[in-house]
Amino acid sequence: MSPRLHDALHELAQGAPSEVSAAQVLAGARRRRRVRLIAVPSVAATAAAAILVGATLAGGGAEPARPAAQPDRPLVTEPGKVLNPPGVLPGRLPSGKVEPIVFAFLDYCRGKSLKETTSAKGDCAQWRLVGRSGKQWRLPDAVGSRVVKPEDYMSGSAPLVVSPDGWRIAYYRAKDQRLVVRDLTSGRVTPVSARTAPAAIPLMMFSGDGTRLALSPKVDQSGRTLLVDTRTGAATALHAGTVIGLSRDASTIVQADTEDERTPLTVSGADGSVRASVPLDPEVDLRGSSGNLLSPDGRTLLTFTTSLDKAVLVDVATGKITSVRRIDGVGGAHAWTGPTTYFTTRDLSGHPDARKRGIPPRALRGVIVDLTTGKYRDVGRTFTIQTSQSAVALGGYLP
Amino acid sequence: MVRYDGLSEFVAARGPALLRSAFLLTGDRHLAEDLVQAALVKLAPRWRRVAAGGDPESYVRKILYHEHLNWWKRRGRHVHPSADPPEPAGHPDIADRAVRTILLGQALGRLTAKQRAMIVLRFYEDRSETETARLLGCSVGTVKSQTHRALARLRALEPGLADLLTDTEIPEVAR
């Protein structure tokens, strides 16, 4: 053991609250007991309602954009300011053309504790979208914050992803519980043909050109891996496994078992046919990786060392490491942006008096990393939200 | 009340220690309170049986760690903790114990939930690898590898903490 680390942890732990209310624990236990007694019939009724909704709204195909109703006003945030000032909500996303989206977030109604974030509901619990110009809207038809189950004391969320060019978003639509892709150049909404249960919403990844959306079941969930044509909603089944990379046009798809690198990479085409099974160099670490790791030409995977301080490039054809490059200041990757560059974020969270303000801010800035030099440059604006819990998505980093 | 006989006394006696572990896991006072309360509420229905077994603290700690990990699973990959302590500008004097404590809290907040659990169990609660594996429901090998990764990431995130971490290496999994 390390006595010094133990002592430092001990000092840190002194900041903990000093007592637990036994009365609250007992009250919670009694409430939980009551909820358990009524939960079964409630859940059955909810399931029946969900089936009914599903049956009446079944069907696919793109839905044309509706004529714009009286548009709500977007919230315009000056650079450097907090995107979610208290008591102010942006208007609804217009139904027609908007502008490329560069950032999306959930702030769980700015709840200060888990109890508050768990009960987040209403307009403030919706996803909020920030456009390239700094205008901000909320997305009322998406599921945003949600309570995972009746007894759950933690809040959850339904994911949203933004395409690299910012012109498409994919999210879980509330009214019919379907994944949909919204084209922001027209407002056209295309449901994904394969249905997804609320409890099993997959990981989503856009191809570089936004024409395809890969859906991978989460590690602890079952489900098929699919490639969706974002223009039609048609889904093609892929080999089982997590999609870790799509080439720019999704003509090459790479899948892996991110929990076990001994499993070979699977390389497929857009039609789902497996082209190759490639053993991975044992030095490559895929655990915890996220984002589109495949280069636009489909030939190179971008991975990182465990400590995230070096980028490790892997030849997809051989599974061998071709290059290791030290990266200064940022770790991880969202997606490639060119033959030798990729996009990721820099965490700028924190403010000297954050604690005094009650809710700490979370701040992010996009960066482009140049693999030839290992240096990064900032792009766009800093996204700052005042929240104790958040979900965020970035996009629009390609022109 | 017979159902919960003795639970209040247990909460009063062991609550503070549970809060300290929960605070290290979550990095936030509110979250720590919620986490401990949730674990104790889950303990309550089984209280009589668990108390009769003679070691309710082990039981509730197991719930606590599992709740912590489940929370992160539910929130999904794309959700990031935002309750991190602020990042100071520049390079503060690491010799200052208060600064060091803040930096350690910051770095812990940027580990995965499982890695944080490993650090807290192994280096705060001084649990053995076997005990840690039993509490988290994983193999001893996982404990070793996750602990190694957690320490490596702490070093990478905050080189100024190297002094604290010099004697923590786990040779079995170092590579």
Side-chain angles (χ1 to χ4, degrees):
Chain A
M1 292 308 101
S2 163
R4 276 175 290 185
L5 180 55
H6 174 90
D7 291 348
L9 288 166
H10 186 76
E11 280 176 32
L12 184 60
Q14 298 312 305
S18 56
E19 65 178 312
V20 185
S21 164
Q24 281 186 9
V25 170
L26 291 174
R30 293 190 191 102
R31 187 166 55 245
R32 181 181 159 92
R33 187 172 147 77
R34 284 197 298 274
V35 170
R36 287 170 75 95
L37 292 174
I38 63 171
V40 172
S42 301
V43 169
T46 307
I51 290 166
L52 187 61
V53 169
T56 52
L57 295 176
E63 298 162 7
R66 286 167 299 168
Q70 184 65 29
D72 289 342
R73 292 170 68 87
L75 177 64
V76 181
T77 309
E78 291 174 30
K81 300 289 185 186
V82 171
L83 289 165
N84 61 337
V88 181
L89 285 178
R92 289 170 296 178
L93 185 72
S95 54
K97 181 177 178 179
V98 196
E99 66 178 60
I101 298 301
V102 293
F103 185 65
F105 69 96
L106 284 173
D107 67 1
Y108 301 89
C109 296
R110 294 173 54 104
K112 290 184 182 176
S113 67
L114 280 175
K115 281 178 192 160
E116 290 177 12
T117 54
T118 299
S119 57
K121 58 185 176 185
D123 293 350
C124 63
Q126 295 166 353
W127 275 101
R128 289 161 68 165
L129 308 173
V130 180
R132 202 168 271 167
S133 70
K135 290 180 182 171
Q136 183 188 148
W137 301 270
R138 59 191 164 81
L139 187 62
D141 64 333
V143 176
S145 312
R146 64 193 169 110
V147 177
V148 177
K149 56 185 182 181
E151 285 183 63
D152 205 329
Y153 76 105
M154 302 289 187
S155 62
S157 61
L160 177 147
V161 287
V162 185
S163 64
D165 66 3
W167 282 113
R168 288 185 176 90
I169 53 174
Y171 55 94
Y172 198 66
R173 187 162 64 178
K175 74 173 184 182
D176 53 359
Q177 302 197 330
R178 293 186 79 145
L179 285 172
V180 298
V181 178
R182 186 168 182 143
D183 182 341
L184 299 169
T185 62
S186 63
R188 183 181 164 109
V189 177
T190 304
V192 171
S193 61
R195 287 189 168 274
T196 303
I201 301 175
L203 303 169
M204 299 189 280
M205 180 192 295
F206 273 110
S207 60
D209 63 4
T211 61
R212 297 289 190 280
L213 179 72
L215 305 178
S216 306
K218 290 180 185 163
V219 171
D220 54 350
Q221 292 175 340
S222 59
R224 291 180 301 166
T225 307
L226 300 170
L227 185 69
V228 177
D229 184 328
T230 59
R231 294 159 297 193
T232 64
T236 302
L238 298 175
H239 184 267
T242 304
V243 174
I244 60 168
L246 298 167
S247 62
R248 180 167 174 75
D249 58 0
S251 57
T252 302
I253 301 153
V254 177
Q255 293 170 263
D257 182 342
T258 53
E259 301 293 303
D260 182 2
E261 285 95 349
R262 288 169 300 185
T263 307
L265 298 175
T266 302
V267 184
S268 308
D271 60 356
S273 60
V274 175
R275 286 189 206 146
S277 178
V278 182
L280 198 54
D281 189 311
E283 292 296 312
V284 176
D285 187 355
L286 290 177
R287 279 173 285 190
S289 60
S290 60
N292 185 354
L293 305 180
L294 189 58
S295 60
D297 63 6
R299 293 180 180 174
T300 308
L301 271 184
L302 170 62
T303 69
F304 293 89
T305 51
T306 305
S307 50
L308 298 177
D309 60 342
K310 295 188 187 79
V312 178
L313 299 181
V314 178
D315 183 343
V316 171
T318 63
K320 302 294 182 196
I321 294 172
T322 57
S323 163
V324 178
R325 159 69 68 181
R326 184 168 190 86
I327 303 295
D328 294 332
V330 291
H334 280 59
W336 292 67
T337 51
T340 59
T341 56
Y342 65 90
F343 177 80
T344 186
T345 54
R346 198 155 67 92
D347 191 348
L348 304 169
S349 299
H351 186 280
D353 63 355
R355 290 281 166 191
K356 292 178 196 165
R357 292 198 221 159
I359 312 179
R362 171 167 172 72
L364 288 174
R365 182 142 198 195
V367 298
I368 301 280
V369 182
D370 186 338
L371 283 163
T372 60
T373 63
K375 307 289 184 193
Y376 70 81
R377 63 179 170 84
D378 290 329
V379 290
R381 60 194 292 169
T382 300
F383 305 110
T384 306
I385 49 179
Q386 198 86 30
T387 179
S388 62
Q389 184 178 337
S390 62
V392 301
L394 288 101
Y397 40 83
L398 289 183
Chain B
M1 280 305 287
V2 177
R3 181 188 302 275
Y4 304 126
D5 249 4
L7 179 57
S8 295
E9 291 76 6
F10 173 76
V11 171
R14 301 308 304 155
L18 293 171
L19 280 170
R20 287 193 288 275
S21 293
F23 180 66
L24 291 177
L25 289 173
T26 62
D28 183 284
R29 290 169 61 92
H30 293 301
L31 301 188
E33 285 175 342
D34 285 350
L35 188 57
V36 170
Q37 176 144 347
L40 289 168
V41 166
K42 286 197 169 179
L43 165 72
R46 306 167 183 88
W47 171 249
R48 276 195 299 186
R49 179 170 55 80
V50 173
D55 188 12
E57 182 160 355
S58 287
Y59 192 89
V60 77
R61 279 189 183 274
K62 195 166 185 174
I63 298 176
L64 184 90
Y65 282 96
H66 281 265
E67 280 293 298
H68 167 65
L69 296 180
N70 285 339
W71 164 31
W72 284 83
K73 276 185 198 165
R74 284 181 207 136
R75 295 207 304 180
R77 261 185 183 184
H78 63 292
V79 179
H80 304 274
S82 53
D84 296 347
E87 279 183 21
H91 297 284
D93 179 5
I94 196 69
D96 184 318
R97 287 164 69 96
V99 172
R100 187 189 64 182
T101 303
I102 291 171
L103 293 178
L104 178 60
Q106 283 180 352
L108 277 177
R110 296 173 69 181
L111 299 183
T112 66
K114 200 160 196 171
Q115 288 172 343
R116 278 206 302 280
M118 296 295 172
I119 294 291
V120 175
L121 281 163
R122 296 281 288 116
F123 301 109
Y124 175 65
E125 296 187 9
D126 289 340
R127 305 267 181 181
S128 68
E129 287 165 345
T130 308
E131 283 178 309
T132 302
R134 184 178 53 77
L135 275 165
L136 295 178
C138 62
S139 68
V140 171
T142 301
V143 171
K144 287 180 180 176
S145 63
Q146 288 280 339
T147 307
H148 174 71
R149 281 167 183 272
L151 293 169
R153 189 154 164 74
L154 283 178
R155 285 190 194 98
L157 288 168
E158 190 43 78
L161 296 175
D163 181 45
L164 290 181
L165 306 172
T166 47
D167 50 356
T168 54
E169 193 51 83
I170 300 173
E172 294 91 322
V173 291
R175 56 177 184 169

